[in-house]
Each structure stands twice: as C-alpha cells, then as structure tokens.
Amino acid sequence: MADLFSTLMTSPLAKKAGVPQPTRLRRYTPGDLLVEGPVLVAGGGRFEKSLVGRLELAGVSVVTSLDEVDGRLGGLVLDLSAALDPGELGQLHNLGVPAVKRLDKNSRVVVVGTDPSTLTDVAEVATQRALEGFVRSLGKELRFGATANHVLAQGQADDGVASAVVFFLSGRSAYVDGQTVRVNEASTQPVDAGTPLAGKVAVVTGAARGIGAEIAAVLARDGATVVAVDVPAAGEALAQVANEVRGTALQLDVTSEGAGRRVLEHAVARHGSIDIVVHNAGILRDKLFVNMSEDKWAAVLDVNLRSIVRMNEALLGEGALGEGGRIVCLSSIAGIAGNRGQTNYATSKAGLIGLVDALSAQVQDRGITVNAVAPGFIETAMTRSVPFATREMGRRMNSLQQGGLPRDVAETIAWLAQPGAAAVTGQVVRVCGQSLLGA
Ligand code: NAD
C-alpha cells in the first residue's frame, strides 16, 4: 500500500537521520482488551456511575481517582455533562492536567457533555459548548497515537453514551480524533461484543476494492452476511471479495435504472432481508471548475449523490429497511472543507451530509439510523492517483501525522451499524486523524 516516498521516509536511514516517525496506531483485533491500562472515569456528570459499571462489564480496569494508579493510564473519561456554569470548567484543568501527564502511548481521552442544543440558559450553553474547543485543542496536543473525542448527550442517553465511549476507547477508533458525536435517548439490548452484527444482512456498494472491500471484510468479521455490489467491469475482484467474506456478489452500476430494486431483490432472495446499507461507491473526476466538462460534473454527482438518494427511496419506500435498519454514507472531508479541483466531488459529498441530516430525522421514529463517515486521507488506489505533493500533505497534515487505512473507515462504519449504536443518528463522523482541513 505504501508508495516509494513513504517507504523512504520510514526507512531505517530516515529514522537515523531524525525524520519524525508516525506512531503505529493501536487498531482493533478480535479478542483484544477494549483498552490497555486503567481508565480514569471522573467529572461528576450524570453518566459517570453507569459508565463505570459498563466499562467494568466490558473488562476495563476502571479507576475513579488517579491515586489508584501506579503507572500509565490507558484512557481518561471526563464526564462533565452536569457542568452548567463556566466556573465549573476549572474541572477540565484540575482533573485533566495530572491525568493527561500520565497518559500512555495510543491512549484515549473522551469528554462527555450535554448537547448545548438541548439547553437554553446562556451560561449553560456556553459551558457545554466550551468542551468542544477543549477537545479539539487537546487532540492537537496529544502525541504518540493518543486521541481526544467528545460525546454529547441529548437527555439521559446512558446506552448511547456507553456505545460512543466504548467505541472511542477501543482500537476501532484508531484514526478518529477531535470528533464530536451526539447521542440520543434510544435504548438498546446488549449483544455479543465479538459478533455485534450477527444475523444482520449488509449491502456494501463499491465493494470490489479499496475502502468498500475492507468494509465488507469488517462487517463480515463482526457477524454480518454481506452483499458486495460493484460495477460489472469489476466483476472478478468483486467475486473474490464476496468469496472471502462468504457473502454474495451483485454486479450492478448504482446509477442504473431500478438499482435499488435490484439490490432489494438480491438481498431478500439470497439472504431474507436487508438491515444495513453502506453507500460506499464513489468516483473522482478532478478538474478546476472552469475547465470541467459537463460529463465529469454529471458523472460524479450521479454516482456519489443521486444514486444514493434514489436507492434510499427504493429501500425505504418498500419498507425493506425496517426497525433497527442502518444507512451509512461515505462523505469526505472535501465535502466539509472544500478542495481545489474537486468542486464536483465536494458538491456531492456535502450533499450527502444534507441527506443524512434530513433523512435521519424522517426515519427516526421507525428505529432506523442514518449517518455519514467523512474520511480524510486514506491510503487507497483513489488517493494513490492524487499528485505527489498534495498526497504527502494530506498524509501529514493531521494530528496523527499519517494517512489512515481503509480499515479505520470500516471500523467506524461497523460501529455505526451495531444495534448498540441506535442512539447515534444524523451524525457525520470524520475518520481523518483530526485533519487540519475543515477542522
Ligand atoms: P476506490 O476508487 O478505490 O473504490 C470505489 C469502488 O466503487 C470501486 O470498486 C468502483 O468500481 C466502485 N464504483 C464506482 N462507481 C460505481 C457505480 N456506478 N456502481 C457501483 N460501483 C461503483 O475508492 P475508495 O478510495 O475505496 O473510496 C471509497 C469511498 O470513500 C468513496 O465514496 C470515496 O469518495 C470515499 N472517500 C475516500 C477517501 C480516500 O482517501 N480514499 C477519502 C474520502 C472519501
């Protein structure tokens, strides 16, 4: 996957010459401890007690005071959901400074707060909003693969907070940094932590290679039966992916007439239902706007946005995706920050954020969640086609000082697809190592 330049930059010679080396990130493999080392849970918020219980159940060594720890911390969870006055932000400093000094390599900081949009008092809103600035800055200061993320609770969202905190502490979130995720009060039943997607049927578009192939692999690893979809021209690679994940392949151009219906018919005929849809198929046709042909413009909008609107209409209209359904779209940080030469691509990816916003609200009462992940620089065939200087900048300009792997995107999608993530909807989770673009 690495190109010549990155191989040189990480060679023993480069290391000897003092070229800064990115930390090898802690990534999830089944059977791993959720987090290595003790996790300090503090802050006096309304989720603290339930979090301690749930983390202990998940096998985490939880401490509630730094005095209980001799060595390094694997994680720090600051529950400041009850902080309602700017004076209480002193806790960030009092609790945070000594704990952050004790953080281990690849450790995690998670700050839990109350969603400011659920508050009206000015001091309360200001206090809670302040936490976001803290998390984003701390993420930029942490080193050696450590990350900082933020969970915003809407009401007494115990299940949602637990699901998000567990994700952020785990190796699944290796390349997710500086993010804020909102969780609502939806409640969930416990599922097997090793195979949280057991019994689910997942459709993944663009699954023949790159991020899509990895999404298929990770969803299958977590117990899902996968329908791998890609264009007929990618049929051979698609069949290989489908075989590897013991799923089925569907050769289909997602822009074709009736694509949604064909997905539905295939999934129901072969596997009985559809529970998870991952809209991953996407294309680039970069050109400066003034030089862009109508074809390039239309192709990108068609694959990356229009086909997804239509496929969702088909799947939701037929009621094929029901209670517990999950839709995840692949947006991009280009859709948030914009990118030179990518007006068509950024238009399509920003459109997806709008889609997620609107559709999540429409289907919430049906128990279906709709979210997006917005990858930053991920090492794939798509990014290998990016010019050298832009590519190297993309790789380095983030808090983790490296590109992400397709697996990092797949792990975030797999979390959003879990039954336990029922409280997460309408969210855009950036998987970008806290890229400086659009931060
Ligand atoms: P890729 O080009 O490696 O793979 C995309 C897959 O989609 C291919 O297998 C392709 O055949 C398939 N596809 C394209 N058009 C299709 C169509 N009409 N019908 C069915 N399948 C079609 O891309 P990737 O890097 O793996 O990216 C996957 C997704 O992630 C895309 O939506 C992309 O925009 C998004 N993304 C990628 C990055 C990155 O750094 N690689 C960053 C941000 C967002």
Side-chain angles (χ1 to χ4, degrees):
M1 192 62 71
D3 56 31
L4 181 63
F5 184 78
S6 53
T7 308
L8 280 176
M9 294 307 275
T10 51
S11 67
L13 198 67
K15 284 179 195 161
K16 228 172 163 181
V19 176
Q21 299 296 313
T23 300
R24 191 189 174 89
L25 302 182
R26 171 172 67 92
R27 293 186 163 94
Y28 171 76
T29 38
D32 278 358
L33 281 177
L34 183 65
V35 54
E36 283 163 28
V39 173
L40 173 63
V41 180
R46 61 184 189 280
F47 301 101
E48 198 177 309
K49 212 168 145 212
S50 68
L51 270 175
V52 169
R54 286 172 195 240
L55 291 177
E56 281 177 344
L57 259 181
V60 176
S61 157
V62 179
V63 294
T64 51
S65 153
L66 254 194
D67 301 338
E68 298 169 50
V69 186
D70 284 334
R72 300 248 155 221
L73 283 172
L76 167 65
V77 179
L78 284 176
D79 179 0
L80 293 185
S81 55
L84 297 173
D85 182 88
E88 294 175 70
L89 293 171
Q91 285 197 76
L92 281 174
H93 188 268
N94 299 344
L95 293 166
V97 170
V100 169
K101 283 183 179 162
R102 302 273 292 274
L103 286 176
D104 208 348
K105 206 172 142 186
N106 273 313
S107 56
R108 305 283 198 260
V109 176
V110 189
V111 175
V112 180
T114 293
D115 185 350
S117 72
T118 62
L119 303 169
T120 47
D121 180 88
V122 173
E124 294 180 4
V125 172
T127 304
Q128 285 299 323
R129 184 61 208 262
L131 300 179
E132 193 175 323
F134 171 74
V135 172
R136 286 184 193 274
S137 298
L138 186 63
K140 289 178 178 169
E141 290 185 12
L142 294 175
R143 286 289 169 262
F144 306 115
T147 62
N149 290 290
H150 185 199
V151 181
L152 283 186
Q154 300 177 324
Q156 195 54 46
D158 291 86
D159 286 351
V161 167
S163 176
V165 168
V166 164
F167 169 68
F168 285 132
L169 287 176
S170 77
R172 288 179 184 269
S173 66
Y175 201 59
V176 182
D177 197 5
Q179 295 306 292
T180 293
V181 166
R182 282 181 174 70
V183 295
N184 62 37
E185 287 184 313
S187 62
T188 55
Q189 296 299 317
V191 290
D192 184 285
T195 52
L197 302 179
K200 304 288 181 191
V201 177
V203 171
V204 182
T205 68
R209 68 176 201 186
I211 295 173
E214 200 61 31
I215 296 168
V218 168
L219 295 182
R221 179 203 68 194
D222 285 355
T225 301
V226 173
V227 176
V229 179
D230 212 302
V231 288
E236 213 172 298
L238 182 68
Q240 199 176 331
V241 169
N243 283 342
E244 277 165 15
V245 303
R246 295 169 188 276
T248 54
L250 173 62
Q251 293 186 10
L252 174 76
D253 181 336
V254 293
T255 64
S256 60
E257 197 59 39
R261 166 142 289 283
R262 281 202 51 205
V263 164
L264 180 55
E265 283 168 1
H266 175 102
V268 172
R270 303 291 291 273
H271 310 293
S273 65
I274 294 190
D275 305 289
I276 299 160
V277 181
V278 184
H279 295 293
N280 166 78
I283 58 169
L284 288 175
R285 296 286 183 270
D286 294 1
K287 209 72 183 166
L288 286 181
F289 183 57
V290 288
N291 299 330
M292 188 170 299
S293 67
E294 204 180 330
D295 284 359
K296 282 193 163 65
W297 179 269
V300 168
L301 267 296
D302 227 22
V303 177
N304 296 7
L305 181 59
R306 221 169 131 231
S307 72
I308 297 173
V309 172
R310 285 205 308 232
M311 194 175 293
N312 287 340
E313 280 170 3
L315 298 178
L316 290 164
E318 308 261 350
L321 206 62
E323 175 78 29
R326 299 280 184 269
I327 296 176
V328 187
C329 298
L330 269 284
S331 181
S332 164
I333 55 169
I336 297 167
N339 206 11
R340 186 181 151 83
Q342 293 196 320
T343 47
N344 50 356
Y345 185 73
T347 300
S348 69
K349 295 298 186 182
L352 286 179
I353 295 174
L355 179 156
V356 161
D357 236 5
L359 189 59
S360 59
Q362 276 180 23
V363 297
Q364 189 157 355
D365 58 356
R366 288 156 68 179
I368 299 169
T369 70
V370 187
N371 293 288
V373 294
F377 186 94
I378 305 297
E379 307 281 357
T380 65
M382 192 186 254
T383 48
R384 274 200 297 280
S385 70
V386 172
F388 167 75
T390 320
R391 184 168 72 226
E392 201 45 36
M393 262 175 28
R395 217 172 244 151
R396 297 276 168 174
M397 279 175 50
N398 59 72
S399 296
L400 297 171
Q401 296 171 320
Q402 57 192 292
L405 301 181
R407 200 169 128 202
D408 298 324
V409 180
E411 294 284 10
T412 302
I413 290 169
W415 166 57
L416 292 168
Q418 287 183 9
V424 188
T425 192
Q427 303 299 292
V428 180
V429 184
R430 292 170 46 142
V431 184
C432 65
Q434 199 178 25
S435 168
L436 294 181
L437 291 179

